[in-house]
Amino acid sequence: VQLQASGGGLVQAGDSLRLSCAASGGTFGSYIMAWFRQSPGKEREFVAAVGLSDGIVHYGDSVQSRHIISRDNAKNSVYLQMNSLKPEDTAVYYCAADLPRSAYYSLSNKVSDYRYWGQGTLVTVSS
């Protein structure tokens, strides 16, 4: 599956921004989807993941209750609605995907558990 992230930009602290990730080349509904981010000099950090249906989600501690991940299987897309943005949210945001290992899968927060990655979209939050 190929992933294309978009929607990044320059915003002010407190603003909202919605990132999109369009998938192609695979059966989108079969993939666990996730967002990670990476700031200069830091390791890639888990933001959120969503299971095969919108009912199962998992968030990283740094964005808990501020951001919302969702997916639209009909549009082969996953979204990240980011609210109450802070300067520390500044990073390149990557969407990622992988197939569940079993029927009883969990939503991993590890970079190594996702085989497919988009190119990233830059989000800059000014204070």
Side-chain angles (χ1 to χ4, degrees):
V1 63
Q2 292 78 47
L3 305 174
Q4 180 77 35
S6 62
L10 173 62
V11 297
Q12 293 186 333
D15 284 352
S16 297
L17 196 62
R18 189 194 195 205
L19 304 183
S20 300
C21 177
S24 61
T27 304
F28 181 72
S30 299
Y31 291 86
I32 297 169
M33 300 300 299
W35 288 96
F36 287 78
R37 67 186 184 185
Q38 189 166 20
S39 304
K42 295 185 178 181
E43 294 186 351
R44 197 163 293 190
E45 176 189 22
F46 173 74
V47 175
V50 59
L52 305 187
S53 68
D54 246 348
I56 304 173
V57 295
H58 178 42
Y59 293 98
D61 291 340
S62 61
V63 303
Q64 194 75 246
S65 78
R66 292 191 298 124
H67 299 350
I68 301 171
I69 188 171
S70 62
R71 66 187 297 160
D72 186 336
N73 289 346
K75 295 183 179 179
N76 291 348
S77 294
V78 62
Y79 308 99
L80 184 68
Q81 176 66 43
M82 303 190 294
N83 302 313
S84 302
L85 283 162
K86 304 175 182 179
E88 50 263 45
D89 291 318
T90 295
V92 177
Y93 283 73
Y94 298 90
C95 59
D98 210 328
L99 296 167
R101 302 300 197 264
S102 72
Y104 301 99
Y105 64 89
S106 59
L107 300 180
S108 174
N109 60 0
K110 298 179 180 179
V111 170
S112 58
D113 284 340
Y114 294 88
R115 287 176 288 176
Y116 307 102
W117 292 84
Q119 86 292 357
T121 185
L122 176 63
V123 174
T124 304
V125 184
S126 64
S127 58

